Amino acid sequence: MSVSTAAIDPSVCAPLPVLGQDVTVPLVTGGEVTYAALDYAASAPALQRVWDDVAAYAPYYGSVHRGAGYLSQLSTDLFENSRRTVAEFLGCRADDQVVFTRSTTDSLNLLAAAIPAGCQVFVFETEHHASLLPWRDAQVTYLNAPRTPAQAVETLERALADRDPYGPALVCVTGASNVTGELWPVKELAAAAHAHGARIVLDAAQLAPHHPVDIAELDVDWVAFSGHKLYAPFGSGVLAGRSDWLLAAEPYLAGGGASRKVARRADGGVDVDWHTTAARHEAGSPNVIGVYSIASACKALTDAGFDNLVAREQELVSRVREGLAEVPEVQVLSLFGDDAPRVGVISFVVRGWNSSHFAAALSAEYGIGVRDGLFCAHPLVRTLLGSDPQDPGECGAPEAEPGERSLNAIRVSFGAGTPDEHIERFLRAVSELVSEGAQWKYRTEDGRCVPDRGTVAQV
């Protein structure tokens, strides 16, 4: 079995410098190899520019908004300028707010806490848990997985047509699947939502690092994403969009920074005047480093030419899909079919292999980091695998032994910093593992498949 090793066209775009490009890792079979980070969908490596910007600012770090000293004033300006940079990166409308959070999950939980009473929420079962689960205090309608983009729009339109037309409603949808990488028809879904009097929030965690996101052009009401997927892994996220629901809600966290004035009442209680800006939902000392790193990443992607980055990534996507198609035992998971546009996120299973075993061998024998499991999208992966919703298997904790049928999948993901060599090594490794088998014995330990250090190589 052979796999073509045609190189990516270098004229499209060069990969952006990221941290960890020269890190070497040991192989269980002996020696070391440069680590191939192909788990961007979980956390992308930091762009070198982001790291350099943060390192240059770090000596000047200070508290924001309330300090009279020079470093506090400098940090405040940096923090608020970062907010403007993110707003520009997202194409925010003039009256939109940019609220800084900890992550996409945090952003969507913030919005869930701010929706009006009686709000109906519509979510496809294909969502990441960050989008699927926050709506605990709302009336939630879970929509079945569509098999085409048009079916997604039709499914949403039918569901919205059956709702109470006089109450508030919110649609939550991903921009790009964290399992299949497929792009969703966001603009069409937004139009359907608005036609039925509903609002829509876009989970752009997997879209923003791979594709331009323009709030005004897509006509969505909110966008949520995480810094650690946007080459800025310093624990910060964004919720950007319309301000009215956010301003009408109680602060997400009560505390300093969210309040403008606090006074004791004669009866012994406390009166609070909350901020009417994004600060209303940013109580506590903010993650200035994380916020600045997001802004730095936004600038870096823009300066590099996002269209060029998209073009190169599409070359990589085509190369991976073509290489996997040459291995008959590999089944790539898809909702919308082979022709659906997608970002650099591809999940697959290998006939005759437990997915955890395969991922462990990629790491231990080839120095390749991928993800295996259900990717915090359990209903979607089980639907794609054709398994019963009650089947066992957890995100990142497969229960099958090496060689047993897997209820999980393998995910390879890449982006602006991925070298061609990592893609070629991955495809070669898949071909060799399928045709020749693993060179080492593996066992399950604490729910993970790991090399059995007490054995010798099977060569």
Side-chain angles (χ1 to χ4, degrees):
M1 185 180 303
S2 63
V3 173
S4 170
T5 57
I8 306 302
D9 182 358
S11 66
V12 175
C13 180
L16 297 184
V18 295
L19 294 186
Q21 287 179 316
D22 299 324
V23 169
T24 59
V25 294
L27 300 181
V28 71
T29 51
E32 292 186 341
V33 68
T34 303
Y35 184 65
L38 295 178
D39 194 15
Y40 275 48
S43 282
L47 288 172
Q48 185 66 51
R49 172 168 165 177
V50 170
W51 186 261
D52 292 343
D53 284 349
V54 167
Y57 161 66
Y60 300 93
Y61 171 81
S63 62
V64 302
H65 296 143
R66 293 174 295 280
Y70 177 81
L71 297 190
S72 291
Q73 294 179 37
L74 185 149
S75 294
T76 297
D77 288 344
L78 179 142
F79 187 81
E80 294 304 331
N81 284 334
S82 295
R83 198 187 305 275
R84 287 186 282 273
T85 296
V86 172
E88 182 178 351
F89 180 75
L90 293 174
C92 287
R93 297 157 295 228
D95 56 351
D96 284 340
Q97 283 191 347
V98 172
V99 180
F100 289 117
T101 65
R102 295 179 298 171
S103 60
T104 307
T105 301
D106 197 33
S107 295
L108 293 172
N109 274 271
L110 188 165
L111 184 60
I115 59 177
C119 186
Q120 294 176 271
V121 177
F122 297 83
V123 187
F124 285 94
E125 68 171 348
T126 48
E127 292 291 311
H128 186 282
H129 295 169
S131 302
L132 196 71
L133 302 179
W135 321 102
R136 289 170 290 184
D137 297 326
Q139 177 185 337
V140 184
T141 298
Y142 294 105
L143 307 175
N144 291 335
R147 286 300 182 168
T148 66
Q151 189 180 82
V153 178
E154 294 166 3
T155 299
L156 178 62
E157 287 180 330
R158 285 197 302 271
L160 291 173
D162 291 339
R163 79 176 185 91
D164 178 357
Y166 301 105
L170 177 69
V171 176
C172 182
V173 67
T174 188
S177 171
N178 78 304
V179 176
T180 68
E182 291 165 312
L183 296 175
W184 278 62
V186 176
K187 191 170 184 177
E188 292 79 3
L189 291 167
H194 294 153
H196 290 275
R199 296 190 179 190
I200 185 168
V201 57
L202 170 63
D203 174 356
Q206 297 297 338
L207 183 62
H210 303 276
H211 199 280
V213 175
D214 190 304
I215 288 181
E217 194 273 330
L218 292 172
D219 197 25
V220 294
D221 298 281
W222 293 276
V223 164
F225 71 88
S226 297
H228 73 98
K229 298 186 191 297
L230 194 79
Y231 312 100
F234 294 93
S236 194
V238 168
L239 176 67
R242 303 199 182 279
S243 61
D244 53 349
W245 284 9
L246 299 177
L247 294 181
E250 289 293 304
Y252 183 47
L253 296 174
S259 56
R260 290 193 299 185
K261 183 173 63 177
V262 179
R264 291 292 301 275
R265 296 195 304 264
D267 64 4
V270 174
D271 285 324
V272 183
D273 183 13
W274 302 108
H275 273 295
T276 57
T277 64
R280 182 183 189 90
H281 297 291
E282 294 177 346
S285 296
N287 180 1
V288 183
I289 294 289
V291 165
Y292 183 44
S293 70
I294 288 180
S296 174
C298 290
K299 290 179 180 178
L301 294 174
T302 300
D303 291 348
F306 222 144
D307 289 343
N308 293 332
L309 296 174
V310 171
R312 179 175 188 273
E313 183 175 309
Q314 288 309 301
E315 292 263 14
L316 297 178
V317 169
S318 296
R319 181 71 198 93
V320 171
R321 287 179 56 79
E322 290 168 2
L324 292 178
E326 294 178 15
V327 185
E329 292 82 356
V330 170
Q331 175 194 351
V332 173
L333 305 184
S334 176
L335 268 177
F336 299 153
D338 289 343
D339 295 332
R342 65 195 73 220
V343 299
V345 179
I346 298 171
S347 295
F348 62 97
V349 292
V350 182
R351 187 168 64 249
W353 284 80
N354 168 255
S355 293
S356 179
H357 184 198
F358 201 87
L362 285 173
S363 175
E365 300 178 27
Y366 294 91
I368 298 170
V370 297
R371 181 64 55 109
D372 67 278
L374 299 177
F375 318 124
C376 292
H378 295 190
L380 171 56
V381 177
R382 286 174 175 143
T383 294
L384 294 173
L385 293 178
S387 59
D388 188 277
Q390 302 303 315
D391 277 343
E394 301 174 10
C395 208
E399 298 178 9
E401 293 291 329
E404 294 182 11
R405 174 178 176 268
S406 178
L407 301 175
N408 307 304
I410 306 151
R411 184 181 69 191
V412 57
S413 52
F414 40 89
T418 303
D420 298 359
E421 188 276 330
H422 290 184
I423 297 299
E424 301 310 325
R425 193 197 316 173
F426 165 75
L427 292 174
R428 185 177 68 255
V430 170
S431 177
E432 290 179 358
L433 285 173
V434 170
S435 62
E436 302 171 14
Q439 298 183 56
W440 207 265
K441 289 186 178 180
Y442 294 79
R443 60 186 174 84
T444 299
E445 180 180 286
D446 297 328
R448 299 295 304 171
C449 191
V450 298
D452 188 340
R453 300 291 177 173
T455 63
V456 296
Q458 304 176 49
V459 294

